[in-house]
C-alpha cells in the first residue's frame, strides 16, 4: 500500500511539477514507525548509552506538516515503563522539526535516511544527540498508551 502511494505521489510530482523534496519527505514520513532511540553520553566513568524501544506516528495534515504521537518504553515492561507524548511536526529545507505539546525542547532531524523501508539517523534535542533506527509498521496498537497516558496532556491548544 505504501509503495502504491509513493508511486502515485511521484507520478503527481512529475505531472504537476509543483512537488518538491520537502513535500515528498513529508509524504514518505506519514505513518507509523517503530525501532530504537539511543542516547549516548559521557559520565565520569566513560561513555554510556541508554536505548528505548520507540513507536512514533506522523499524520500529515498539509503538504509539509502535521501532528503525531510517540511512545518510548522499556522492552521488558512495555505497558508499565513508558512515556507517551504528542507533537506537531514539519519539514523545511530538508530539516524535520518536532515540537512536543508538553514544552520539551524541539527536536531537529537533519542527518537522516528516509525511504519506504527505513527512517534512521540522529536528532538533536537541546544539547543531546540521539540516534534512531525505525522501520515502518501498520500494526502497532496505540490504545494502551493513549488510554493510560503518562506525561503529556492531549490538549493541542498548548502547542508552543
Amino acid at each position: 500500500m505504501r509503495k502504491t502511494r509513493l508511486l502515485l505521489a511521484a507520478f503527481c510530482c512529475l505531472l504537476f511539477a509543483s512537488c518538491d523534496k520537502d513535500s515528498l519527505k513529508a509524504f514518505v514520513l506519514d505513518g507509523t514507525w517503530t525501532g530504537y532511540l539511543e542516547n549516548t553520553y559521557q559520565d565520569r566513568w566513560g561513555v554510556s548509552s541508554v536505548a528505548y524501544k520507540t513507536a512514533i506516528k506522523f499524520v500529515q495534515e498539509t503538504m509539509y506538516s502535521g501532528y503525531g504521537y510517540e511512545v518510548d518504553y522499556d522492552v521488558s515492561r512495555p505497558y508499565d515503563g513508558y512515556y507517551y507524548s504528542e507533537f506537531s511536526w514539519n519539514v523545511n529545507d530538508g530539516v524535520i522539526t518536532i515540537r512536543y505539546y508538553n514544552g520539551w525542547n524541539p527536536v531537529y532531524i537533519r542527518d537522516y535516511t528516509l525511504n519506504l523501508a527505513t527512517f534512521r539517523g540522529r536528532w538533536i534535542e537541546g544539547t543531546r544527540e540521539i540516534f534512531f533506527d525505525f522501520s515502518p509498521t501498520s500494526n502497532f496498537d496505540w490504545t494502551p498508551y493513549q488510554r493510560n497516558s503518562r506525561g503529556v496532556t492531549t490538549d493541542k491548544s498548548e502547542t508552543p
Side-chain angles (χ1 to χ4, degrees), residues 109 111-113 118-123 130-134:
I109 306 172
D111 182 20
Y112 62 91
T113 299
T118 191
F119 179 33
R120 80 169 59 107
R122 64 184 178 91
W123 70 36
I130 300 170
F131 297 91
F132 66 93
D133 189 359
F134 299 143

Side-chain angles (χ1 to χ4, degrees), residues 4-16 19 24 27:
T4 303
R5 287 179 50 206
L6 184 61
L7 289 174
L8 181 60
F11 177 74
C12 289
C13 286
L14 292 173
L15 185 63
F16 297 109
C19 186
L24 188 56
F27 183 81

Side-chain angles (χ1 to χ4, degrees), residues 22-159:
D22 286 347
S23 64
L24 188 56
K25 287 180 182 186
F27 183 81
V28 174
L29 192 60
D30 183 47
T32 301
W33 300 83
T34 59
Y36 290 91
L37 287 174
E38 184 175 8
N39 182 12
T40 304
Y41 58 92
Q42 177 131 8
D43 60 20
R44 63 182 175 187
W45 297 285
V47 176
S48 297
S49 67
V50 177
Y52 299 96
K53 183 79 172 165
T54 298
I56 190 166
K57 182 175 181 84
F58 295 88
V59 179
Q60 188 175 10
E61 290 185 303
T62 71
M63 196 172 211
Y64 305 105
S65 65
Y67 67 93
Y69 29 97
E70 171 186 343
V71 64
D72 305 311
Y73 58 92
D74 181 339
V75 177
S76 63
R77 303 176 311 145
Y79 301 116
D80 186 35
Y82 71 90
Y83 199 85
Y84 173 85
S85 52
E86 297 180 346
F87 58 85
S88 63
W89 62 272
N90 71 298
V91 182
N92 186 13
D93 289 331
V95 177
I96 300 167
T97 303
I98 297 174
R99 296 187 186 283
Y100 293 98
Y101 296 142
N102 68 351
W104 285 353
N105 288 328
V107 168
Y108 300 100
I109 306 172
R110 291 185 175 92
D111 182 20
Y112 62 91
T113 299
L114 174 64
N115 57 48
L116 292 175
T118 191
F119 179 33
R120 80 169 59 107
R122 64 184 178 91
W123 70 36
I124 306 300
E125 181 181 346
T127 59
R128 298 184 316 152
E129 183 176 274
I130 300 170
F131 297 91
F132 66 93
D133 189 359
F134 299 143
S135 299
T137 186
S138 59
N139 61 358
F140 187 81
D141 183 10
W142 290 96
T143 310
Y145 300 104
Q146 292 171 327
R147 182 179 45 226
N148 301 316
S149 179
R150 262 188 264 180
V152 172
T153 164
T154 58
D155 182 5
K156 290 180 179 58
S157 67
E158 295 180 11
T159 305

